[in-house]
Amino acid sequence: MVLKLTDVTVRFYETCVLKDISFSVNKGDYINIVGPNGSGKTTLIKVLTNLLTPTSGTVQFGNYRFGYVPQHLNKATFMPATVYEILKHSPQGKVTNEEIDVLLKQMDIFPLKHKKIKLLSGGESQRVYIIRALLSKPDVLILDEPTSALDYSFRNNFYQLIAELHRKGITIIHVTHDLTDGLRHGSKIIHLDHKILFSGNFDEYKAYQKKEGVH
Ligand code: ADP
């Protein structure tokens, strides 16, 4: 078991942002958690990354290493740092230049190594954030709305990249408001709107969307 949520409820004063959320993630899963703006996705990510203790319910974590890919690295857009400098000063401590180079090549951005991070496109920056998370050699990657900054072709590329990491054995938890066909890559979809409205595979989700008029 990678993690297990049981009846997780989060309230901010009068507002119930998450209600009775229960699901588990097992090694090798690729879970897409989808929901509209304001549905509680960011709050759920805070619970999943152990930054927020739920008002009630339990969160159990298995003995795995987690990597987190943020939506944005806010400071990065303003700093004059290069891709390489950002990666070299990643939170997991010492990383070798070789480790960075291997990942830059894998992610097809090796030529951007000495480019200033603020000059990168949305898709290129996302790759830097993914590399930054991969440097800690995670068993599990939690991706926060990674496609929001990407145009259609980058988004497709991105989904292929994540599917590739999944094939290599990394468990994926992808949180997004994107309801396009990219979700097909996942083994399970959870539709969130403060509570879990749907949980199942891609084909079942398509049928659910049609029935409920969800777009
Ligand atoms: P999403 O990421 O899906 O857009 P959020 O988890 O950011 O959703 O927010 C869901 C709701 O919870 C929003 O209405 C937001 O205003 C509210 N909310 C989030 N964090 C707080 C907080 N710290 N205090 C009060 N309300 C909050």
Side-chain angles (χ1 to χ4, degrees), residues 10-13 15-18 35-46 52 71 144-145 175 177 192-194:
V10 174
R11 281 200 189 84
F12 296 112
Y13 305 98
T15 318
C16 188
V17 177
L18 295 177
N37 285 335
S39 60
K41 297 186 299 297
T42 307
T43 307
L44 180 60
I45 284 190
K46 287 183 186 160
L52 179 73
Q71 247 180 78
D144 180 6
E145 294 268 20
V175 181
H177 68 265
L192 179 78
D193 202 352
H194 304 294

Side-chain angles (χ1 to χ4, degrees), residues 130-142:
I130 293 170
I131 293 175
R132 196 166 173 270
L134 290 176
L135 283 170
S136 64
K137 303 189 179 61
D139 305 301
V140 186
L141 262 191
I142 298 178

Side-chain angles (χ1 to χ4, degrees), residues 90-104:
S90 295
Q92 58 287 318
K94 286 202 178 82
V95 289
T96 65
N97 296 357
E98 289 71 29
E99 281 173 302
I100 294 176
D101 286 353
V102 166
L103 286 167
L104 285 168

Side-chain angles (χ1 to χ4, degrees), residues 25 51 65 69 73 77 89 91 106-107 125 139 142 150 154 157 163 168 180-182 188 196 198 208:
V25 178
L51 286 173
R65 209 192 297 243
V69 181
L73 280 182
T77 39
H89 297 104
Q106 260 176 29
M107 295 285 161
S125 317
D139 305 301
I142 298 178
L150 310 183
F154 267 122
N157 265 337
K168 285 184 178 156
T180 63
D181 264 13
K188 185 174 174 185
I196 294 180
F198 166 90
Y208 163 81

Side-chain angles (χ1 to χ4, degrees), residues 171-187:
T171 301
I172 305 287
I173 304 173
H174 171 215
V175 181
T176 182
H177 68 265
D178 179 20
L179 298 179
T180 63
D181 264 13
L183 300 178
R184 187 182 291 283
H185 293 290
S187 48

Side-chain angles (χ1 to χ4, degrees), residues 5-171:
L5 274 63
T6 310
D7 296 331
V8 164
T9 292
V10 174
R11 281 200 189 84
F12 296 112
Y13 305 98
E14 309 290 276
T15 318
C16 188
V17 177
L18 295 177
K19 182 156 174 50
D20 295 332
I21 305 289
S22 298
F23 66 89
S24 42
V25 178
N26 293 308
K27 180 120 180 58
D29 280 352
Y30 177 162
I31 312 243
N32 288 302
I33 300 173
V34 300
N37 285 335
S39 60
K41 297 186 299 297
T42 307
T43 307
L44 180 60
I45 284 190
K46 287 183 186 160
V47 172
L48 298 178
T49 50
N50 215 0
L51 286 173
L52 179 73
T53 305
T55 315
S56 62
T58 55
V59 187
Q60 293 163 272
F61 292 97
N63 191 18
Y64 291 98
R65 209 192 297 243
F66 288 75
Y68 172 60
V69 181
Q71 247 180 78
H72 313 282
L73 280 182
N74 287 336
K75 276 187 256 158
T77 39
F78 303 107
M79 279 194 302
T82 65
V83 169
Y84 181 70
E85 285 161 351
I86 293 277
L87 294 175
K88 196 70 193 162
H89 297 104
S90 295
Q92 58 287 318
K94 286 202 178 82
V95 289
T96 65
N97 296 357
E98 289 71 29
E99 281 173 302
I100 294 176
D101 286 353
V102 166
L103 286 167
L104 285 168
K105 281 176 191 157
Q106 260 176 29
M107 295 285 161
D108 271 340
I109 54 169
F110 185 72
L112 305 179
K113 185 172 169 174
H114 297 297
K115 203 163 168 178
K116 295 216 168 38
I117 189 112
K118 65 179 180 187
L119 299 177
L120 302 186
S121 72
E124 291 163 349
S125 317
Q126 280 301 344
R127 280 162 197 255
V128 177
Y129 304 160
I130 293 170
I131 293 175
R132 196 166 173 270
L134 290 176
L135 283 170
S136 64
K137 303 189 179 61
D139 305 301
V140 186
L141 262 191
I142 298 178
L143 300 129
D144 180 6
E145 294 268 20
T147 53
S148 59
L150 310 183
D151 65 22
Y152 181 74
S153 67
F154 267 122
R155 208 155 47 181
N156 256 350
N157 265 337
F158 174 82
Y159 278 114
Q160 275 162 23
L161 194 66
I162 296 308
E164 181 62 31
L165 294 172
H166 179 238
R167 273 194 292 276
K168 285 184 178 156
I170 298 182
T171 301

